[in-house]
Amino acid sequence: MATLKDIGVAAGINIVTAFIFFIIFAVLRLQPFNDRVYFSKWYLKGLRSSPASGGFLNLDLRAYLKFLHWMPEALKMPERELIDHAGLDSVVYLRIYLLGLKIFAPIAILAWAVLVPVHWTNHTLELAKQLKNVTASDIDKLSVSNIPLYSKRFATHIVMAYAFTIWTCYMLMKEYEIIANMRLQFVASEARRPDQFTVLVRNVPPDPDETVSELVEHFFLVNHPDHYLTHQVVCNANKLADLVDKRKKLQNWLDYYQLKYSRNNSQIRPIVKLGCLGLCGQKVDAIEHYMAEVDKTSKEIAEERENVVKDQKSIMPASFVSFKTRWAAAVCAQTTQTRNPTEWLTEWAPEPRDVFWPNLAVPYVSLTIRRLAMSVAFFFLTFFFIIPIAFVQSLATIEGIEKVAPFLSVIIEHGFVKSVITGLLSGLVLKLFLIFLPSILMTMSKFEGFTAISLLERRSASRYYIFNFVNVFLANVIAGAAFEQLNSFLNQSPNQIPQTIGVAIPMKATFFITYIMVDGWAGIAGEILMLKPLIIYHLKNAFLVKTEKDREEAMDPGSIGFNTGEPQIQLYFLLGLVYAPVTPMLLPFILVFFALAYIVYRHQIINVYNQEYESAAAFWPDVHGRIITALVISQLLLMGLLVTKRAALAAPFIIALPVITIGFHRFCKGRYEPAFVRYPLQEAMMKDTLERAKEPNLNLKGYLQEAYIHPVFKGGDGDDDDDSVLGKLEGEVIIVPTKRQSRRNTPAPSRISGESSPSLAVINGKEV
C-alpha cells in the first residue's frame, strides 16, 4: 500500500527524470548535426535548408541558457496557421488534450473544495486499522473509503456526480460543435484533392462477356451518364510490391559496399557470407553478389509487371471511379447503386497517400470471415493477457519480491528503496508489458482488410482502448482489489465481501497515480527526445545516404501515431472520471499530464511529425463516444460503490445519470456526426461552382488519370521502363474491345468502342 511518502518519492523521481530529458533535448536540438531530426518537418516542406547555426557543434553558450524556450515557442503559432502547417487531423488531435484540461480543471477544483473535506473529516479508516483485513494510508483518508457505512455524506457524492456529468457533457457538446464547424470549413476551403471526386467501388459482379474495366465503365456511363469521368481498376500488385521492396534493400546493400570499397584505400574488396544473418556460409565478393542479386530481382520485377498487366486474374472486382464534380461523387458515395445491396458497393475513396494498397487485393467476400477471426483472436488476447500482467505485477511488490527472493528483504525494506519499489515498479512493469501491443493490434487490423491507413489506425485505437479498459483498468481495480483481499474473502461471510470490495477499490488509486507519473510524465518527456529516430537517422546518414532523396527518407519521423496516442488519452479520461468522486487526489496528476502532453505534442507537430494522411478529423466521433463510455462507466461504478457502502437508498438517484448521458450521446450523434460521415451536397455544389468560375479550362481528367495508379507503376524505383509499363496498364484499362450487345443503351459515346450508342429513350421511341 503506497503512502504519501512513497507517492512523493515517485513524483520526485519522475519530475527529475522529465527535467533531465528536457535538458538533454535542449542540448541535442541545438547541435547542427541533429537539426534534420528535430526540425525535420521544415526540411521536408522545403522551408529550411540548413541549421540556424553553422558548424558541427553549437558553441554559443547563451543558447543553452534558454533550454526551456521551446515551450512558449510551441504555443505561439495560432490555430489557423497550425491547420495550414500541419493539417486539421493534427490540430484536432491536440484539442483532445485541451478538452482534458477544460473538463478536469474545474472538476478538480470542485472536488478538492467539496469532496476532500468531506472525506478527510471522518475517522473510519483509523478505526478500521484494527481489523486484519483492512490496511490504509494517508492517501486513503482523502478518498471515499474514509466515509462510514450508511453515512448521509454520500448525498454529496451524488450531487457532485451530477455536477461532473453536466459539466462534461456541456464541454463535449461545445467541442463537438466547434470541431464539426472546423471540419466543414476545412473541407470548403481545402485545395483540390483526387478523393473529392472519386469513390471506391467494391464487389463488382462477374460478367462472362466483359472485363472488370469494361463493366465498370459501362455501368457508370448508364447510371451516371452526365457525371462519370474516368476510372482505374484495382490490380493485385502485392507480389510486385514485395519484389520492388526486395530490390530496394538489395540496392541499399550494394551501395553500402560500393561506398565502403571506394573509401577504403586498400585493394581488398568487401566479403559477405551467404549463410544465416551473414554469420556463416560461403564467402563471396559482396559487390559482385549484390549486383547479381539486383539484376536477378530486376528481371523478376519486369516479368511480374507483365503478368499483372496481361493476366485478367490479377484484376480485382474493384475500381476507383472518378466524376466530373464533387457533387456527383458525393451522390454516388452516399447512395445504393443497384437493387442488390451486396453488389456495386460504393464508399468515399481515401486520398491517394491514405490508401493501404495491399488490402485492395483482399476479396470482399472474405472480409467478414477475416474480421470475425480477428475478433475472436482479440478476445483471447485481451482476456488471457490478464494472466501474465497479474503475475508479474504481483512480483513487482514488496511482498512479491520477498516471497520470491527472501534474501533481498534487508535491502528492499530500506525506506528509500521501499518507496521506489512501491511508487514506481508496478507502473513501470505495466508500461513495459504494453510496448509491443500497438504493433500486434495494427497487424490484426491489416489482416481484417481495411483499405485506408486512417481506418487501420482508428480500428487499432478502438481495440487498444478496449484492451486498456480490461487489462489496465478492470484488472487492477477489480481483480487487483480482490487478490489483495483474497485471504479475508475466505474467512468472511458472503454479506461481508461487498464491504471489503467497497473499501479496497478506492485504494487502487495509488497504483494509477504511479502509473500516470511513469507513463504520463516521464513517458511524455521522453517522447520529445526522439531517441529512436535520432539513432536511425545518424546510422543511415553514415552508411546509406547518397542523395538528397535518401536524406529525406532517413530523416522522415513518420506521423503522430493516432493508434497509440489516442487510447492513452482515453485511459486518462476514464481514470479521471471514475476517481473524481472517489479519490480526488488523482486529478492533479492527470492535469499535469494533459498540460505537459499538449505542449510537447504541439512542438512535435510543428517541427517534427509529418502526417501521412488527412481525414479532416473523421476520428472525432470515436473520441466523443469513448469519453461518453468512460462517463457511463464512472456512473455505474459509483452506483455499485454506494451499494457496497450500504448507501442503497442513495444509489437510485444515480440511475438517471446513465440514462441522461446516453440520451445526450444520441442527441450529439444525430446533430453533429453526419458532418463526419457524409458530405453535404450543398457544400459540394458550392465548391464545384466556385471552382468552375475560377478555373473554367481545368483539365480534371488529366488531374485524376493517374491519381489512383498503384505506386509500383508510377516509377521512382529506378526502372527505365516504368513509363512504358504504365502506358500498357492504362491501355489495358481503357482500350478494350467490347463484346456485350446488351450495353446498347449506353447514353454517351464509349471510350472503349469509340462509337456512340443509342440511348434508352431513342430505342423506346423507335419501338413506339
Side-chain angles (χ1 to χ4, degrees), residues 668-697:
C668 290
K669 188 178 181 67
R671 173 63 181 85
Y672 302 113
E673 188 173 329
F676 294 84
V677 295
R678 291 192 292 269
Y679 189 28
L681 296 181
Q682 182 186 29
E683 298 287 333
M685 181 60 75
M686 290 173 57
K687 196 163 179 62
D688 288 331
T689 304
L690 184 63
E691 186 174 71
R692 281 195 298 267
K694 288 184 176 180
E695 301 180 70
N697 299 321

Side-chain angles (χ1 to χ4, degrees), residues 95 97-106 167 171 175 178:
R95 290 190 69 93
Y97 293 106
L98 273 182
L99 179 63
L101 290 173
K102 292 176 182 178
I103 289 176
F104 288 114
W167 175 251
M171 292 309 304
E175 196 69 17
I178 290 171

Side-chain angles (χ1 to χ4, degrees), residues 382-397 400 426 429-430 433-434 467 470-472 474-484 508 511:
T382 301
F383 288 95
F384 280 95
F385 212 85
I386 295 177
I387 299 173
I389 286 181
F391 175 73
V392 175
Q393 282 201 292
S394 67
L395 298 179
T397 61
S426 58
V429 167
L430 182 58
F433 254 84
L434 300 177
F467 186 94
V470 174
N471 286 280
V472 178
L474 286 182
N476 284 283
V477 171
I478 299 176
F483 284 135
E484 286 185 3
K508 294 301 295 182
F511 164 78

Side-chain angles (χ1 to χ4, degrees), residues 278-401:
L279 301 176
C280 59
Q282 179 185 359
K283 294 182 179 180
V284 297
D285 185 288
I287 296 178
E288 293 180 357
H289 170 71
Y290 282 108
M291 286 182 66
E293 289 295 319
V294 168
D295 291 340
K296 177 183 176 183
T297 308
S298 297
K299 293 178 181 178
E300 293 177 354
I301 289 174
E303 293 176 359
E304 182 61 25
R305 276 202 178 100
E306 292 295 329
N307 292 335
V308 171
V309 171
K310 294 180 179 179
D311 188 4
Q312 286 298 319
K313 293 182 180 179
S314 66
I315 306 299
M316 305 303 298
S319 178
F320 291 100
V321 180
S322 299
F323 296 85
K324 298 176 183 178
T325 62
R326 296 172 181 82
W327 183 90
V331 170
C332 182
Q334 298 166 179
T335 55
T336 303
Q337 302 303 306
T338 67
R339 66 178 63 184
N340 186 347
T342 64
E343 295 179 350
W344 296 100
L345 305 178
T346 56
E347 61 187 74
W348 279 110
E351 61 171 327
R353 59 178 178 165
D354 189 22
V355 176
F356 188 68
W357 294 96
N359 279 356
L360 287 176
V362 177
Y364 185 82
V365 294
S366 69
L367 294 181
T368 302
I369 299 175
R370 284 170 171 255
R371 291 171 187 177
L372 177 61
M374 286 300 98
S375 297
V376 174
F378 177 68
F379 174 83
F380 284 104
L381 173 67
T382 301
F383 288 95
F384 280 95
F385 212 85
I386 295 177
I387 299 173
I389 286 181
F391 175 73
V392 175
Q393 282 201 292
S394 67
L395 298 179
T397 61
I398 298 293
E399 296 79 7
I401 295 175

Side-chain angles (χ1 to χ4, degrees), residues 99 168-176 624 627-628 664:
L99 179 63
T168 302
C169 290
Y170 174 75
M171 292 309 304
L172 283 173
M173 184 181 68
K174 296 294 291 184
E175 196 69 17
Y176 215 148
H624 176 89
I627 297 176
I628 289 292
F664 165 77

